[in-house]
Amino acid sequence: LCAGLGVGLLASATGEPTLRRIALGVEPIGTVWVNLIRMVVIPLVVAAVISGVAGLGGASRLGRLGVRSILFFLGVGLLGILTGLALARVALPLAPLSAEATATLRVAATAGAGDVGQSVQRLPGFAQFFIDLVPANPVRAAADGALLPVIVCAVLFGTAAAGLADAHRLAITGLTDAAVAAIIRLIGWFMVVAPLGVACLAAPVAARLGWEMLASFGVFIVTYVVGCVLFTAVVLALLVRFAARMALGRFARAAAPAWVIGFSTTSSMAALPAMLDVAIEDLRISRPVASFVLPLAATLNRPGSGLYQAVAVVFVAQLYGVHLGAAEYAALTATMLVMTLSVAAIPRGTVLSLAPALLAVGLPLDGIGLLIGVDQVPDMFRTATNVAGHLTAGAALARGEGESLT
């Protein structure tokens, strides 16, 4: 990762054509590596969820674990939002934008407002989101990468399998367990070339952005990055230590491979196979609990996204000179908490999902266009924070189910 970032920034800083061609030319290698990981996500989720639900021991335990999971996701998401709002209120005013910078950014925001408006219109409303939970065609939902409907379908199938006679139930769980084992072996092969894949992803990103683009949004980006670090090192660490009752060093070492994949690919789905592997093999979470909680967490548990939206809204308010009072912060918190559970599975979905929060406090949607332009670096930290949150949820909920995690 550091090597790829170093090559990309050096190419951007020096402007050397050969170095820049190298930094950009390795991108297909990184893309192929990401595609290898994503290739196994849907089969792994389907097999793991069916196996996990069928092995949980009945609908009562499934319902209890499901309710606990949703409550945990909401609680951690709320903590992420509050962390972002508090940090943004303290940090952003320390480096106010100049009049010239504000004017330039507003012009740039207005220029991209048309594309943003079209993208926002494509976001599903709550009613459509609810309808889409039950896919008319599960195969098409899987092909579209809509993971939550696939999980719903797999949960229903697994629940039905749990009620079958032992011979039939064991036949299904034996098949899905074997499929999970084979996919995890595939993932092990992919991880052998992970350093090369990560470097080939990082180099072109750094070469395209360079220092100038990062510096123009430096305060916003630094505030968010610091927020992610603090949230992971304080909030998630406390949950690991006291809710999961696990040593932080052990958790950090186990989570590192999944964290790096999430950081470099900016995709929780791409990191999901690695998360399942480390959760079962290293954190010693039982396969049924890990197979149910982690896919659900990757879809609904986004504390990094809530933290980002909180910092971003305060930044846009500062950009347009809008004062946010207690009522506005309350409206923002409620709106963003709902949106973190329903971020659209599209590129930059977290940024586009800012629209309801901005509208809730009377801010223009034009600011979304600016944030999309510099979202690569925040997206890396956002995904890494989400991945840490997914594994934290898995460990804490497994401990709540009475597992020893040893």
Side-chain angles (χ1 to χ4, degrees):
L1 177 64
C2 293
L5 291 173
V7 170
L9 289 174
L10 185 61
S12 176
T14 62
E16 170 62 34
T18 302
L19 193 58
R20 184 172 178 83
R21 279 197 298 272
I22 293 173
L24 297 177
V26 298
E27 187 171 21
I29 299 174
T31 302
V32 169
W33 179 68
V34 173
N35 288 344
L36 284 172
I37 296 175
R38 288 178 171 169
M39 176 180 70
V40 301
V41 168
I42 293 295
L44 178 61
V45 167
V46 172
V49 170
I50 291 174
S51 174
V53 171
L56 280 175
S60 61
R61 188 183 179 197
L62 173 64
R64 183 180 71 245
L65 183 57
V67 170
R68 286 180 175 177
S69 298
I70 298 299
L71 292 176
F72 186 92
F73 300 161
L74 286 171
V76 175
L78 179 60
L79 290 174
I81 292 169
L82 295 178
T83 300
L85 289 175
L87 192 61
R89 286 205 62 181
V90 171
L92 292 181
L94 297 178
L97 297 171
S98 65
E100 294 79 6
T102 299
T104 301
L105 291 175
R106 287 183 181 179
V107 170
T110 303
D115 292 338
V116 171
Q118 294 176 4
S119 299
V120 169
Q121 288 177 2
R122 292 196 295 269
L123 294 176
F126 179 78
Q128 189 61 45
F129 171 78
F130 182 74
I131 292 171
D132 290 342
L133 288 178
V134 181
N137 186 340
V139 176
R140 180 171 181 177
D144 291 340
L147 193 61
L148 191 54
V150 173
I151 291 174
V152 170
C153 184
V155 166
L156 292 174
F157 187 90
T159 304
L164 297 177
D166 286 349
H168 293 157
R169 178 176 58 81
L170 292 176
I172 292 174
T173 56
L175 176 62
T176 53
D177 286 344
V180 170
I183 294 171
I184 288 178
R185 174 171 289 189
L186 270 178
I187 295 164
W189 295 348
F190 301 158
M191 289 300 101
V192 172
V193 295
L196 177 62
V198 170
C200 292
L201 288 172
V205 169
R208 290 193 183 99
L209 288 180
W211 285 112
E212 292 183 5
M213 178 65 81
L214 297 179
S216 64
F217 282 82
V219 177
F220 166 69
I221 293 175
V222 169
T223 299
Y224 178 65
V225 169
V226 169
C228 287
V229 172
L230 287 176
F231 184 80
T232 302
V234 178
V235 177
L236 295 183
L238 288 173
L239 288 172
V240 169
R241 187 67 189 90
F242 295 105
R245 298 197 295 280
M246 183 180 293
L248 294 179
R250 176 192 169 198
F251 180 86
R253 287 190 297 272
W259 188 91
V260 170
I261 293 173
F263 184 86
S264 57
T265 63
T266 67
S267 170
S268 291
M269 294 299 106
L272 182 57
M275 283 192 283
L276 282 167
D277 186 27
V278 301
I280 296 168
E281 299 298 328
D282 300 325
L283 299 180
R284 301 300 180 184
I285 301 172
S286 68
R287 188 179 297 277
V289 172
S291 299
F292 176 77
V293 171
L294 289 179
L296 192 64
T299 309
L300 299 177
N301 181 37
R302 299 185 179 94
S305 298
L307 200 158
Y308 172 86
Q309 291 189 343
V311 176
V313 169
V314 176
F315 175 76
V316 172
Q318 177 180 298
L319 176 63
Y320 286 93
V322 176
H323 172 72
L324 299 177
E328 286 77 14
Y329 281 115
L332 281 174
T333 300
T335 304
M336 290 186 291
L337 185 59
V338 173
M339 293 309 299
T340 57
L341 293 177
S342 57
V343 172
I346 58 177
R348 305 296 180 249
T350 295
V351 186
L352 292 172
S353 296
L354 273 171
L358 293 176
L359 293 174
V361 292
L363 290 170
L365 299 182
D366 297 4
I368 294 178
L370 284 177
L371 297 173
I372 289 176
V374 293
D375 189 51
Q376 185 63 43
V377 173
D379 200 8
M380 289 177 167
F381 284 90
R382 182 166 66 236
T383 308
T385 304
N386 287 339
V387 167
H390 305 334
L391 288 171
T392 300
L397 290 166
R399 181 68 78 174
E401 289 294 301
E403 298 186 8
S404 62
L405 305 183
T406 57

